[in-house]
Amino acid sequence: MRVIVVDDEADRASSVRHALEGAGFIVVATCATGADLPRKLAELAADVVIVDIDSPDRDTLEDMRRVTMEQRRPVVMFAQDGKPETIKAAINAGVAAYVVDGLKPDRVRPVIDVAIARFAQFQELRLELDKARTTLAERKLVEKAKGILMKRRKVDEDEAYRLMRRMSMDQKLRLIDIANKIIEAAELLG
């Protein structure tokens, strides 16, 4: 597994690198906070970001949010700051695991494995939510198109739906595409 280490202290970064390599990870880069992490992550094709920091600041958390949301990579943060508001801010930024009291070589592998599993679960839930939102939006458009047909053709709801289904089959288009055409035509004709 390919890893990028983010740490502002060179000595600590070196020991983190050795601990990760000892646990079987491939460390592709070590960089400081604010080093355009999203770009480096894309360039180096890393699988995971490991952050070792005393206390994450707003800019670091924003970088972590971009990594988890835009690049869809898990972030594991080892920090000294155990304040609840800091932990909450890190989790809200998308950090998959926030470990207080620094990185311990014997805990590296299990912590990262849990973080990756948690991140994968979060991504799955996010996809399900996106799908549900899309389905709901499409359903609303189909209902709107049915309403237009009911009004223009003076038919009931079942007949409007049958007309849309028939158009869908005849034109080899999805029902939502037919609904969009009906809505566009109605808007064009006024």
Side-chain angles (χ1 to χ4, degrees):
M1 185 163 305
R2 298 169 58 84
V3 176
I4 288 181
V5 174
V6 178
D7 197 331
D8 291 332
E9 295 180 22
D11 291 339
R12 186 172 62 190
S14 178
S15 67
V16 169
R17 178 185 203 107
H18 292 306
L20 290 167
E21 289 170 344
F25 294 98
I26 299 166
V27 179
V28 295
T30 302
C31 61
T33 58
D36 197 7
L37 181 62
R39 182 185 56 77
K40 283 188 180 207
L41 186 62
E43 284 175 7
L44 299 169
D47 302 307
V48 181
V49 176
I50 306 294
V51 181
D52 195 9
I53 196 166
D54 290 328
S55 181
D57 61 17
R58 187 177 54 81
D59 292 337
T60 301
L61 292 175
E62 179 57 25
D63 272 353
M64 298 310 111
R65 187 200 61 73
R66 287 176 51 209
V67 165
T68 56
M69 300 302 180
E70 296 170 13
Q71 304 224 359
R72 305 214 191 271
R73 299 292 197 292
V75 174
V76 179
M77 189 172 284
F78 294 94
Q80 298 301 318
D81 187 348
K83 290 185 277 196
E85 59 272 13
T86 304
I87 296 169
K88 183 177 180 181
I91 297 301
N92 287 340
V95 171
Y98 187 94
V99 181
V100 179
D101 199 22
L103 185 143
K104 305 276 189 281
D106 59 327
R107 293 184 358 199
V108 170
R109 185 85 195 174
V111 167
I112 293 173
D113 288 345
V114 168
I116 291 169
R118 183 180 179 280
F119 182 79
Q121 183 182 34
F122 176 75
Q123 292 300 315
E124 189 176 308
L125 289 172
R126 184 186 218 185
L127 288 173
E128 287 177 27
L129 178 60
D130 289 347
K131 184 178 176 183
R133 285 180 177 154
T134 300
T135 301
L136 180 59
E138 287 178 356
R139 202 170 281 162
K140 286 180 181 180
L141 290 174
V142 168
E143 291 299 318
K144 183 176 180 179
K146 278 195 313 190
I148 291 168
L149 285 178
M150 290 166 60
K151 184 177 178 184
R152 301 261 169 137
R153 297 247 178 132
K154 306 222 184 303
V155 296
D156 66 9
E157 185 175 358
D158 289 339
E159 182 59 25
Y161 187 72
R162 275 193 287 279
L163 287 169
M164 289 177 63
R165 294 280 301 160
R166 190 174 318 125
M167 284 186 255
S168 173
M169 287 186 272
D170 291 347
Q171 296 178 31
K172 294 179 177 43
L173 293 172
R174 296 179 329 139
L175 191 60
I176 186 62
D177 298 327
I178 295 299
N180 282 326
K181 284 184 171 192
I182 292 168
I183 293 167
E184 287 173 11
E187 288 172 354
L188 184 65
L189 297 174

